[in-house]
mmCIF file of all heavy atoms in Angstrom:
data_model
loop_
_atom_site.group_PDB
_atom_site.id
_atom_site.type_symbol
_atom_site.label_atom_id
_atom_site.label_comp_id
_atom_site.label_asym_id
_atom_site.label_seq_id
_atom_site.Cartn_x
_atom_site.Cartn_y
_atom_site.Cartn_z
ATOM 1 N N LYS I 1 107.328 36.667 130.154
ATOM 2 C CA LYS I 1 107.590 37.941 129.514
ATOM 3 C C LYS I 1 109.064 37.955 129.017
ATOM 4 O O LYS I 1 109.870 37.175 129.547
ATOM 5 C CB LYS I 1 107.396 39.099 130.483
ATOM 6 C CG LYS I 1 105.883 39.119 130.903
ATOM 7 C CD LYS I 1 105.604 40.150 131.988
ATOM 8 C CE LYS I 1 105.907 39.709 133.389
ATOM 9 N NZ LYS I 1 104.982 38.658 133.872
ATOM 10 N N LEU I 2 109.389 38.799 128.090
ATOM 11 C CA LEU I 2 110.745 38.869 127.527
ATOM 12 C C LEU I 2 111.453 40.100 127.988
ATOM 13 O O LEU I 2 110.865 41.174 128.015
ATOM 14 C CB LEU I 2 110.697 38.837 126.005
ATOM 15 C CG LEU I 2 110.242 37.526 125.365
ATOM 16 C CD1 LEU I 2 110.244 37.663 123.845
ATOM 17 C CD2 LEU I 2 111.050 36.316 125.841
ATOM 18 N N LEU I 3 112.713 39.941 128.354
ATOM 19 C CA LEU I 3 113.551 41.022 128.787
ATOM 20 C C LEU I 3 114.811 41.073 127.905
ATOM 21 O O LEU I 3 115.407 40.039 127.603
ATOM 22 C CB LEU I 3 113.976 40.913 130.264
ATOM 23 C CG LEU I 3 114.859 41.965 130.894
ATOM 24 C CD1 LEU I 3 114.557 42.090 132.418
ATOM 25 C CD2 LEU I 3 116.354 41.706 130.702
ATOM 26 N N SER I 4 115.128 42.256 127.456
ATOM 27 C CA SER I 4 116.393 42.423 126.689
ATOM 28 C C SER I 4 117.285 43.489 127.412
ATOM 29 O O SER I 4 116.798 44.502 127.910
ATOM 30 C CB SER I 4 116.063 42.971 125.315
ATOM 31 O OG SER I 4 117.292 43.362 124.668
ATOM 32 N N ILE I 5 118.547 43.228 127.479
ATOM 33 C CA ILE I 5 119.497 44.153 128.113
ATOM 34 C C ILE I 5 119.809 45.241 127.061
ATOM 35 O O ILE I 5 120.016 44.941 125.862
ATOM 36 C CB ILE I 5 120.792 43.386 128.537
ATOM 37 C CG1 ILE I 5 120.460 42.423 129.671
ATOM 38 C CG2 ILE I 5 121.855 44.390 128.954
ATOM 39 C CD1 ILE I 5 120.100 43.042 130.956
ATOM 40 N N VAL I 6 119.939 46.443 127.528
ATOM 41 C CA VAL I 6 120.417 47.557 126.652
ATOM 42 C C VAL I 6 121.416 48.286 127.463
ATOM 43 O O VAL I 6 121.359 48.376 128.660
ATOM 44 C CB VAL I 6 119.252 48.507 126.295
ATOM 45 C CG1 VAL I 6 118.208 47.752 125.458
ATOM 46 C CG2 VAL I 6 118.582 49.173 127.439
ATOM 47 N N ALA I 7 122.443 48.834 126.792
ATOM 48 C CA ALA I 7 123.515 49.542 127.450
ATOM 49 C C ALA I 7 123.606 51.047 127.102
ATOM 50 O O ALA I 7 124.373 51.816 127.732
ATOM 51 C CB ALA I 7 124.896 48.943 127.091
ATOM 52 N N ASN I 8 122.717 51.487 126.171
ATOM 53 C CA ASN I 8 122.685 52.877 125.762
ATOM 54 C C ASN I 8 121.373 53.233 125.167
ATOM 55 O O ASN I 8 120.460 52.357 125.008
ATOM 56 C CB ASN I 8 123.927 53.221 124.859
ATOM 57 C CG ASN I 8 123.916 52.305 123.650
ATOM 58 O OD1 ASN I 8 122.843 51.877 123.145
ATOM 59 N ND2 ASN I 8 125.094 52.058 123.157
ATOM 60 N N VAL I 9 121.225 54.459 124.797
ATOM 61 C CA VAL I 9 119.938 54.967 124.239
ATOM 62 C C VAL I 9 119.630 54.294 122.927
ATOM 63 O O VAL I 9 118.503 53.865 122.658
ATOM 64 C CB VAL I 9 120.009 56.503 124.120
ATOM 65 C CG1 VAL I 9 118.763 57.022 123.330
ATOM 66 C CG2 VAL I 9 120.112 57.161 125.475
ATOM 67 N N ARG I 10 120.640 54.108 122.074
ATOM 68 C CA ARG I 10 120.359 53.498 120.809
ATOM 69 C C ARG I 10 119.843 52.101 120.972
ATOM 70 O O ARG I 10 118.952 51.671 120.337
ATOM 71 C CB ARG I 10 121.674 53.470 119.939
ATOM 72 C CG ARG I 10 121.377 52.918 118.547
ATOM 73 C CD ARG I 10 122.653 52.844 117.706
ATOM 74 N NE ARG I 10 122.398 52.027 116.594
ATOM 75 C CZ ARG I 10 123.310 51.679 115.669
ATOM 76 N NH1 ARG I 10 124.483 52.171 115.767
ATOM 77 N NH2 ARG I 10 122.994 50.945 114.647
ATOM 78 N N GLY I 11 120.434 51.304 121.864
ATOM 79 C CA GLY I 11 119.980 49.972 122.191
ATOM 80 C C GLY I 11 118.543 49.938 122.657
ATOM 81 O O GLY I 11 117.736 49.097 122.259
ATOM 82 N N ALA I 12 118.203 50.905 123.572
ATOM 83 C CA ALA I 12 116.842 51.045 124.055
ATOM 84 C C ALA I 12 115.822 51.365 122.934
ATOM 85 O O ALA I 12 114.767 50.790 122.900
ATOM 86 C CB ALA I 12 116.805 52.121 125.136
ATOM 87 N N GLN I 13 116.257 52.210 122.004
ATOM 88 C CA GLN I 13 115.422 52.562 120.822
ATOM 89 C C GLN I 13 115.164 51.306 119.957
ATOM 90 O O GLN I 13 114.032 51.049 119.553
ATOM 91 C CB GLN I 13 116.034 53.678 120.030
ATOM 92 C CG GLN I 13 115.905 55.008 120.738
ATOM 93 C CD GLN I 13 116.854 56.081 120.135
ATOM 94 O OE1 GLN I 13 117.806 55.786 119.453
ATOM 95 N NE2 GLN I 13 116.513 57.362 120.375
ATOM 96 N N ASP I 14 116.260 50.551 119.738
ATOM 97 C CA ASP I 14 116.139 49.354 118.884
ATOM 98 C C ASP I 14 115.211 48.339 119.579
ATOM 99 O O ASP I 14 114.326 47.769 118.943
ATOM 100 C CB ASP I 14 117.531 48.701 118.681
ATOM 101 C CG ASP I 14 118.388 49.565 117.748
ATOM 102 O OD1 ASP I 14 117.891 50.455 117.090
ATOM 103 O OD2 ASP I 14 119.598 49.333 117.703
ATOM 104 N N ALA I 15 115.450 48.113 120.894
ATOM 105 C CA ALA I 15 114.609 47.109 121.584
ATOM 106 C C ALA I 15 113.168 47.552 121.660
ATOM 107 O O ALA I 15 112.232 46.695 121.540
ATOM 108 C CB ALA I 15 115.172 46.901 122.965
ATOM 109 N N SER I 16 112.906 48.819 121.826
ATOM 110 C CA SER I 16 111.555 49.306 122.029
ATOM 111 C C SER I 16 110.714 49.200 120.790
ATOM 112 O O SER I 16 109.487 49.270 120.832
ATOM 113 C CB SER I 16 111.616 50.784 122.454
ATOM 114 O OG SER I 16 111.976 51.663 121.412
ATOM 115 N N GLU I 17 111.348 48.958 119.621
ATOM 116 C CA GLU I 17 110.615 48.756 118.348
ATOM 117 C C GLU I 17 109.942 47.386 118.273
ATOM 118 O O GLU I 17 109.180 47.112 117.392
ATOM 119 C CB GLU I 17 111.511 48.956 117.184
ATOM 120 C CG GLU I 17 111.909 50.467 116.949
ATOM 121 C CD GLU I 17 113.002 50.629 115.962
ATOM 122 O OE1 GLU I 17 113.325 49.643 115.204
ATOM 123 O OE2 GLU I 17 113.521 51.743 115.838
ATOM 124 N N HIS I 18 110.347 46.512 119.211
ATOM 125 C CA HIS I 18 109.867 45.130 119.219
ATOM 126 C C HIS I 18 108.696 45.004 120.244
ATOM 127 O O HIS I 18 108.977 45.073 121.461
ATOM 128 C CB HIS I 18 110.965 44.121 119.499
ATOM 129 C CG HIS I 18 112.029 44.140 118.432
ATOM 130 N ND1 HIS I 18 111.949 43.392 117.207
ATOM 131 C CD2 HIS I 18 113.200 44.811 118.402
ATOM 132 C CE1 HIS I 18 113.056 43.612 116.566
ATOM 133 N NE2 HIS I 18 113.783 44.491 117.199
ATOM 134 N N SER I 19 107.458 44.798 119.753
ATOM 135 C CA SER I 19 106.366 44.780 120.708
ATOM 136 C C SER I 19 106.389 43.531 121.610
ATOM 137 O O SER I 19 105.813 43.519 122.644
ATOM 138 C CB SER I 19 105.042 44.778 119.883
ATOM 139 O OG SER I 19 104.992 43.660 119.073
ATOM 140 N N GLU I 20 107.127 42.475 121.171
ATOM 141 C CA GLU I 20 107.214 41.251 122.026
ATOM 142 C C GLU I 20 108.021 41.451 123.278
ATOM 143 O O GLU I 20 107.884 40.575 124.152
ATOM 144 C CB GLU I 20 107.820 40.139 121.149
ATOM 145 C CG GLU I 20 107.203 39.860 119.836
ATOM 146 C CD GLU I 20 107.867 40.672 118.670
ATOM 147 O OE1 GLU I 20 108.513 41.770 118.963
ATOM 148 O OE2 GLU I 20 107.750 40.172 117.596
ATOM 149 N N ILE I 21 108.814 42.485 123.347
ATOM 150 C CA ILE I 21 109.667 42.678 124.515
ATOM 151 C C ILE I 21 108.921 43.538 125.516
ATOM 152 O O ILE I 21 108.455 44.593 125.176
ATOM 153 C CB ILE I 21 110.958 43.379 124.110
ATOM 154 C CG1 ILE I 21 111.800 42.474 123.233
ATOM 155 C CG2 ILE I 21 111.816 43.774 125.312
ATOM 156 C CD1 ILE I 21 112.998 43.166 122.611
ATOM 157 N N GLN I 22 108.844 43.045 126.773
ATOM 158 C CA GLN I 22 108.169 43.801 127.804
ATOM 159 C C GLN I 22 109.105 44.637 128.663
ATOM 160 O O GLN I 22 108.711 45.689 129.188
ATOM 161 C CB GLN I 22 107.373 42.875 128.765
ATOM 162 C CG GLN I 22 106.044 42.371 128.156
ATOM 163 C CD GLN I 22 106.245 41.042 127.384
ATOM 164 O OE1 GLN I 22 107.361 40.564 127.173
ATOM 165 N NE2 GLN I 22 105.132 40.506 126.911
ATOM 166 N N TYR I 23 110.363 44.101 128.855
ATOM 167 C CA TYR I 23 111.306 44.779 129.724
ATOM 168 C C TYR I 23 112.584 45.157 129.051
ATOM 169 O O TYR I 23 113.138 44.337 128.327
ATOM 170 C CB TYR I 23 111.618 43.874 130.921
ATOM 171 C CG TYR I 23 110.498 43.473 131.783
ATOM 172 C CD1 TYR I 23 109.973 42.209 131.858
ATOM 173 C CD2 TYR I 23 109.937 44.435 132.691
ATOM 174 C CE1 TYR I 23 108.939 41.827 132.687
ATOM 175 C CE2 TYR I 23 108.828 44.108 133.500
ATOM 176 C CZ TYR I 23 108.367 42.836 133.494
ATOM 177 O OH TYR I 23 107.358 42.516 134.331
ATOM 178 N N LEU I 24 113.058 46.336 129.356
ATOM 179 C CA LEU I 24 114.454 46.705 128.992
ATOM 180 C C LEU I 24 115.260 46.687 130.282
ATOM 181 O O LEU I 24 114.907 47.265 131.278
ATOM 182 C CB LEU I 24 114.469 48.154 128.420
ATOM 183 C CG LEU I 24 113.507 48.466 127.299
ATOM 184 C CD1 LEU I 24 113.632 49.929 126.872
ATOM 185 C CD2 LEU I 24 113.674 47.579 126.137
ATOM 186 N N GLY I 25 116.363 45.948 130.286
ATOM 187 C CA GLY I 25 117.208 45.864 131.437
ATOM 188 C C GLY I 25 118.460 46.760 131.223
ATOM 189 O O GLY I 25 119.134 46.696 130.205
ATOM 190 N N TYR I 26 118.745 47.590 132.203
ATOM 191 C CA TYR I 26 119.888 48.500 132.101
ATOM 192 C C TYR I 26 120.826 48.272 133.305
ATOM 193 O O TYR I 26 120.462 48.400 134.424
ATOM 194 C CB TYR I 26 119.438 49.944 132.122
ATOM 195 C CG TYR I 26 120.566 50.900 131.950
ATOM 196 C CD1 TYR I 26 121.311 51.015 130.796
ATOM 197 C CD2 TYR I 26 120.951 51.744 133.029
ATOM 198 C CE1 TYR I 26 122.420 51.891 130.715
ATOM 199 C CE2 TYR I 26 122.029 52.628 132.895
ATOM 200 C CZ TYR I 26 122.795 52.679 131.723
ATOM 201 O OH TYR I 26 123.854 53.560 131.657
ATOM 202 N N PRO I 27 122.137 47.916 133.014
ATOM 203 C CA PRO I 27 123.068 47.761 134.078
ATOM 204 C C PRO I 27 123.626 49.099 134.554
ATOM 205 O O PRO I 27 124.353 49.778 133.836
ATOM 206 C CB PRO I 27 124.168 46.932 133.412
ATOM 207 C CG PRO I 27 124.074 47.179 131.920
ATOM 208 C CD PRO I 27 122.674 47.605 131.671
ATOM 209 N N PHE I 28 123.209 49.449 135.788
ATOM 210 C CA PHE I 28 123.638 50.738 136.374
ATOM 211 C C PHE I 28 124.588 50.438 137.566
ATOM 212 O O PHE I 28 124.140 49.903 138.562
ATOM 213 C CB PHE I 28 122.429 51.482 136.818
ATOM 214 C CG PHE I 28 122.766 52.814 137.466
ATOM 215 C CD1 PHE I 28 122.937 53.957 136.717
ATOM 216 C CD2 PHE I 28 122.911 52.911 138.796
ATOM 217 C CE1 PHE I 28 123.261 55.196 137.252
ATOM 218 C CE2 PHE I 28 123.216 54.126 139.482
ATOM 219 C CZ PHE I 28 123.393 55.250 138.671
ATOM 220 N N SER I 29 125.817 50.779 137.413
ATOM 221 C CA SER I 29 126.754 50.455 138.470
ATOM 222 C C SER I 29 126.957 51.588 139.407
ATOM 223 O O SER I 29 127.138 52.743 139.024
ATOM 224 C CB SER I 29 128.120 50.033 137.886
ATOM 225 O OG SER I 29 128.979 49.672 138.964
ATOM 226 N N ILE I 30 126.990 51.260 140.685
ATOM 227 C CA ILE I 30 127.264 52.310 141.707
ATOM 228 C C ILE I 30 128.789 52.302 142.054
ATOM 229 O O ILE I 30 129.178 52.969 142.978
ATOM 230 C CB ILE I 30 126.408 52.171 142.989
ATOM 231 C CG1 ILE I 30 126.568 50.785 143.570
ATOM 232 C CG2 ILE I 30 124.924 52.355 142.610
ATOM 233 C CD1 ILE I 30 125.850 50.617 144.966
ATOM 234 N N SER I 31 129.507 51.581 141.242
ATOM 235 C CA SER I 31 131.030 51.625 141.308
ATOM 236 C C SER I 31 131.422 52.295 140.055
ATOM 237 O O SER I 31 131.212 51.853 138.879
ATOM 238 C CB SER I 31 131.565 50.209 141.360
ATOM 239 O OG SER I 31 132.868 50.159 140.812
ATOM 240 N N GLU I 32 132.068 53.448 140.234
ATOM 241 C CA GLU I 32 132.534 54.253 139.072
ATOM 242 C C GLU I 32 133.480 53.406 138.184
ATOM 243 O O GLU I 32 133.391 53.434 136.957
ATOM 244 C CB GLU I 32 133.278 55.520 139.552
ATOM 245 C CG GLU I 32 133.574 56.538 138.458
ATOM 246 C CD GLU I 32 132.468 57.541 138.263
ATOM 247 O OE1 GLU I 32 132.153 58.265 139.243
ATOM 248 O OE2 GLU I 32 131.926 57.571 137.164
ATOM 249 N N ASN I 33 134.352 52.675 138.810
ATOM 250 C CA ASN I 33 135.323 51.822 138.048
ATOM 251 C C ASN I 33 134.592 50.856 137.166
ATOM 252 O O ASN I 33 134.877 50.660 136.005
ATOM 253 C CB ASN I 33 136.245 51.078 139.017
ATOM 254 C CG ASN I 33 137.519 51.868 139.323
ATOM 255 O OD1 ASN I 33 138.288 52.142 138.439
ATOM 256 N ND2 ASN I 33 137.634 52.191 140.609
ATOM 257 N N PHE I 34 133.599 50.142 137.755
ATOM 258 C CA PHE I 34 132.901 49.131 137.052
ATOM 259 C C PHE I 34 132.026 49.697 135.934
ATOM 260 O O PHE I 34 131.932 49.172 134.845
ATOM 261 C CB PHE I 34 132.075 48.254 137.933
ATOM 262 C CG PHE I 34 131.571 46.995 137.228
ATOM 263 C CD1 PHE I 34 132.430 45.939 136.924
ATOM 264 C CD2 PHE I 34 130.221 46.894 136.843
ATOM 265 C CE1 PHE I 34 131.898 44.806 136.289
ATOM 266 C CE2 PHE I 34 129.731 45.790 136.162
ATOM 267 C CZ PHE I 34 130.608 44.727 135.889
ATOM 268 N N GLN I 35 131.409 50.889 136.218
ATOM 269 C CA GLN I 35 130.563 51.529 135.186
ATOM 270 C C GLN I 35 131.433 51.897 133.948
ATOM 271 O O GLN I 35 130.961 51.699 132.783
ATOM 272 C CB GLN I 35 129.941 52.801 135.737
ATOM 273 C CG GLN I 35 128.869 53.418 134.822
ATOM 274 C CD GLN I 35 127.610 52.544 134.771
ATOM 275 O OE1 GLN I 35 126.969 52.290 135.801
ATOM 276 N NE2 GLN I 35 127.261 52.062 133.563
ATOM 277 N N MET I 36 132.640 52.350 134.191
ATOM 278 C CA MET I 36 133.495 52.700 133.068
ATOM 279 C C MET I 36 133.931 51.437 132.300
ATOM 280 O O MET I 36 133.917 51.415 131.079
ATOM 281 C CB MET I 36 134.782 53.411 133.587
ATOM 282 C CG MET I 36 134.543 54.786 134.055
ATOM 283 S SD MET I 36 134.032 55.968 132.797
ATOM 284 C CE MET I 36 135.487 56.120 131.833
ATOM 285 N N ARG I 37 134.220 50.380 132.997
ATOM 286 C CA ARG I 37 134.589 49.102 132.317
ATOM 287 C C ARG I 37 133.444 48.530 131.544
ATOM 288 O O ARG I 37 133.587 47.965 130.499
ATOM 289 C CB ARG I 37 134.967 48.060 133.391
ATOM 290 C CG ARG I 37 136.411 48.293 133.964
ATOM 291 C CD ARG I 37 136.599 47.369 135.257
ATOM 292 N NE ARG I 37 137.847 47.661 135.841
ATOM 293 C CZ ARG I 37 138.802 46.775 135.947
ATOM 294 N NH1 ARG I 37 138.640 45.534 135.498
ATOM 295 N NH2 ARG I 37 139.885 47.042 136.534
ATOM 296 N N ASN I 38 132.256 48.643 132.103
ATOM 297 C CA ASN I 38 131.070 47.959 131.553
ATOM 298 C C ASN I 38 130.450 48.763 130.417
ATOM 299 O O ASN I 38 130.057 48.147 129.395
ATOM 300 C CB ASN I 38 130.037 47.776 132.635
ATOM 301 C CG ASN I 38 129.244 46.499 132.480
ATOM 302 O OD1 ASN I 38 129.699 45.587 131.771
ATOM 303 N ND2 ASN I 38 127.985 46.482 132.980
#
């Protein structure tokens, strides 16, 4: 299966238009500092 990383809603919308992709990967940090950096 294919997974694509997305970092925001627009990325998720773009990826979701491709039927070949099964998974959207979202980096969710439980460190406030790292979430801001990332």
